[in-house]
Amino acid sequence: AIDVTLPGLPLPAGGLHPISRVLDDLIGIYRQMGYAVIEGPEVEEEHYNFEALNVPWYHPARDLQDTFWLEDGRLLRTHTSPMQIRYMVDHEPPFKIVVRGKVYRYEATDATHEAMFHQLEGLVVGDGISMSDLKGTIAEMARGLYGASAKARFQPSYYPFVEPGADFAVYWENPRGESKWLELGGCGMVHPNVFKAVDDLREAAGKDRVYEGKTGFAFGLGLERIAMLKYGIPDIRYFYANDPRVIGQFRGEL
Ligand code: TYR
């Protein structure tokens, strides 16, 4: 006989991958600031991944070693920045967007490098957008991630698609009271050559040139480092090895 009053067995539950969790946190922070969230193609045209972003053929970032090329001349995007171009060709300012997605680099893997990883890219374009708007935005993200006392720091850096450009770090304190500056990503003011490349593409598509004279900022960061630190995951390769001893720890907490 069946005792229908016995409690049932728990159903096996899935769980969100640590990268999904970090992404959800970040997207929540940016939605609160009024950003739209978009995605784009992982197979990309060379022109969008490089030239239109002011990365000429002779730039070291173009080193063929870093890029997965397809036989038809397209490539796996090396960053989410080509979506800056695609979005601006299709939309007029003002706007605030973040782009989420996978990116690919042809390089040896080790504890901190994977051939595929995730980025979140931001782009804000309008009139009179300044570097202090950018800094306030990154500081707001830092507070959203690490609490009200979190700080953000900028250091001058170079990316062809911004001028001036910077790397940003956030001050991070863990529950044990240990703290350090965590380098998260790059950012800067959108380079005029990028706006020009966008207007050229728009003109070729029969659209108005609306970007020359606008101002904007952009930023890009990787999600894996944030997740490694947050969840104490020592090796980036663990995220995608599908080892149940790792991902099983994220079960049942949807
Ligand atoms: N695309 C850069 C990278 O992958 C990150 C970045 C994004 C830097 C936007 C600056 C910027 O404005 O390394």
Side-chain angles (χ1 to χ4, degrees):
I2 294 171
D3 181 351
V4 294
T5 65
L6 279 175
L9 293 171
L11 287 172
L16 288 178
H17 191 276
I19 296 299
S20 301
R21 294 168 183 233
V22 167
L23 184 59
D24 286 352
D25 288 349
L26 282 165
I27 282 179
I29 292 164
Y30 280 102
R31 277 201 205 282
Q32 213 154 23
M33 287 193 269
Y35 283 64
V37 182
I38 66 158
E39 293 178 0
E42 293 169 25
V43 172
E44 187 51 281
E45 312 276 342
E46 182 176 8
H47 187 74
Y48 289 83
N49 197 84
F50 293 125
E51 272 94 354
L53 287 163
N54 199 33
V55 187
W57 64 268
Y58 51 81
H59 192 278
R62 288 288 284 272
D63 193 336
L64 298 188
Q65 300 297 54
D66 297 341
T67 306
F68 285 110
W69 292 90
L70 305 185
E71 283 174 359
D72 64 6
R74 291 183 300 167
L75 49 78
L76 297 182
R77 65 180 177 191
T78 59
H79 50 181
T80 41
S81 304
M83 275 309 291
Q84 293 189 22
I85 307 299
R86 289 188 179 275
Y87 192 85
M88 288 192 279
V89 169
D90 286 344
H91 299 84
E92 298 194 4
F95 61 78
K96 301 193 269 191
I97 57 161
V98 282
V99 186
R100 47 171 284 180
K102 293 182 166 71
V103 302
Y104 299 85
R105 303 264 170 99
Y106 183 46
E107 57 185 9
T109 64
D110 61 27
T112 56
H113 295 85
E114 255 291 15
M116 183 280 293
F117 57 99
H118 293 78
Q119 287 189 334
L120 188 72
E121 178 105 9
L123 178 66
V124 172
V125 180
D127 293 301
I129 308 282
S130 73
M131 193 90 182
S132 67
D133 296 319
L134 169 59
K135 209 170 172 205
T137 302
I138 298 297
E140 182 68 16
M141 173 177 72
R143 289 189 290 268
L145 282 173
Y146 298 118
S149 63
K151 289 178 286 191
R153 176 183 79 181
F154 278 35
Q155 286 179 317
S157 186
Y158 177 72
Y159 297 92
F161 31 94
V162 285
E163 180 60 37
D167 284 324
F168 61 90
V170 301
Y171 196 68
W172 177 84
E173 201 172 311
N174 73 14
R176 293 178 295 283
E178 299 154 354
S179 57
K180 63 171 174 174
W181 286 100
L182 173 64
E183 292 279 352
L184 278 192
C187 62
M189 302 305 294
V190 179
H191 197 291
N193 288 355
V194 172
F195 286 143
K196 183 173 181 306
V198 166
D199 272 339
D200 289 347
L201 285 163
R202 288 178 61 91
E203 191 171 340
K207 297 174 183 167
D208 292 339
R209 303 181 72 92
V210 290
Y211 279 93
E212 267 155 84
K214 296 291 170 190
T215 47
F217 66 72
F219 58 86
L221 62 143
L223 304 185
E224 275 76 2
R225 288 193 64 196
I226 300 177
M228 287 169 79
L229 211 59
K230 179 166 184 183
Y231 298 113
I233 296 175
D235 190 314
I236 191 174
R237 292 167 294 193
Y238 289 171
F239 286 125
Y240 310 114
N242 279 338
D243 184 334
R245 291 172 299 179
V246 177
I247 55 176
Q249 298 180 44
F250 296 91
R251 275 223 180 138
E253 288 183 50
L254 287 168

